[in-house]
Amino acid sequence: AQTVTQSQPEMSVQEAETVTLSCTYDTSESDYYLFWYKQPPSRQMILVIRQEAYKQQNATENRFSVNFQKAAKSFSLKISDSQLGDAAMYFCAYRGPGGGADGLTFGKGTHLIIQP
Amino acid sequence: KAGVTQTPRYLIKTRGQQVTLSCSPISGHRSVSWYQQTPGQGLQFLFEYFSETQRNKGNFPGRFSGRQFSNSRSEMNVSTLELGDSALYLCASSPGLAGSDTQYFGPGTRLTVL
């Protein structure tokens, strides 16, 4: 079974600074999909960014970008110019090529605190 | 497009009762997945439905069941509730079953079992 590990239970960053959240995963598949979701206090899960494993180019969405290292099975999220609204739980998630029998596999999450 | 909606948003039940949660997917989405979120276990996959058929199921007891209707709306049912069933239940919809189909989540139903 696939596993996703987020080794940082909590991270703190000053407003306007850059922060990187770590994620590693384990899979025997060569084709798969990786996601970062954000869960603010409202508990609504919001998609931040996604990455297809077959694409070498790292995905970018405005202030959010990923560093995808397929050989190392690493998928980190970089948030630039951190804003107070970025404060939330961030979950890294994996999904297999055919959707997978396990749906999305999530990490335990990283609680991101933004210091004003 | 309207997002994924879940009803009710909050629910309080007692042990031994049963509960039904509802999820309406984004218009045009045919796949609905359910997840349980608890502080101890994190986010765990319950099951996934597509075209009114359960396609995948997570490692949960048979007390957890679900169904999907022809309009893609889905319900999940938990029978004989236990204290450990207290959780946030999240529903997600996607266009299809492919790994490339991003799942979009609803606001969740907070279930408290007393």
Side-chain angles (χ1 to χ4, degrees), chain B residues 20-99:
Chain B
T20 299
L21 312 181
S22 180
C23 172
S24 292
I26 292 171
S27 178
H29 284 194
R30 298 174 63 193
S31 175
V32 172
S33 298
W34 289 88
Y35 296 84
Q36 181 195 65
Q37 185 176 24
T38 60
Q41 298 299 315
L43 283 148
Q44 294 184 283
F45 171 70
L46 279 158
F47 27 64
E48 181 170 27
Y49 285 86
F50 181 82
S51 293
E52 302 178 63
T53 302
Q54 186 181 93
R55 302 292 176 153
N56 299 302
K57 183 173 169 63
N59 188 25
F60 278 83
R63 299 186 297 106
F64 291 81
S65 63
R67 59 177 176 169
Q68 187 181 33
F69 302 95
S70 58
N71 62 357
S72 295
R73 190 177 69 84
S74 176
E75 289 181 347
M76 68 162 281
N77 184 76
V78 188
S79 62
T80 319
L81 284 166
E82 300 177 359
L83 295 178
D85 297 333
S86 293
L88 180 68
Y89 290 89
L90 292 166
C91 163
S93 78
S94 61
L97 287 173

Side-chain angles (χ1 to χ4, degrees), chain A residues 35-38 45-50, chain B residues 102-105:
Chain A
F35 305 85
W36 279 98
Y37 283 92
K38 166 186 174 181
M45 293 282 279
I46 301 165
L47 176 69
V48 175
I49 199 165
R50 58 173 274 164
Chain B
T102 298
Q103 295 192 354
Y104 296 92
F105 285 80

Side-chain angles (χ1 to χ4, degrees), chain A residues 24-86:
Chain A
T24 59
Y25 57 94
D26 186 29
T27 182
S28 57
E29 302 283 354
S30 59
D31 188 22
Y32 48 86
Y33 302 84
L34 297 166
F35 305 85
W36 279 98
Y37 283 92
K38 166 186 174 181
Q39 188 177 43
S42 67
R43 310 302 278 174
Q44 173 92 45
M45 293 282 279
I46 301 165
L47 176 69
V48 175
I49 199 165
R50 58 173 274 164
Q51 174 78 44
E52 293 84 352
Y54 63 84
K55 289 186 178 178
Q56 293 188 346
Q57 186 175 4
N58 289 324
T60 300
E61 287 288 342
N62 300 313
R63 298 183 295 108
F64 299 87
S65 61
V66 299
N67 183 4
F68 173 51
Q69 301 291 327
K70 190 172 184 178
K73 295 182 181 175
S74 171
F75 182 59
S76 60
L77 174 69
K78 185 172 82 171
I79 305 174
S80 304
D81 185 26
S82 298
Q83 300 176 1
L84 294 177
D86 295 333

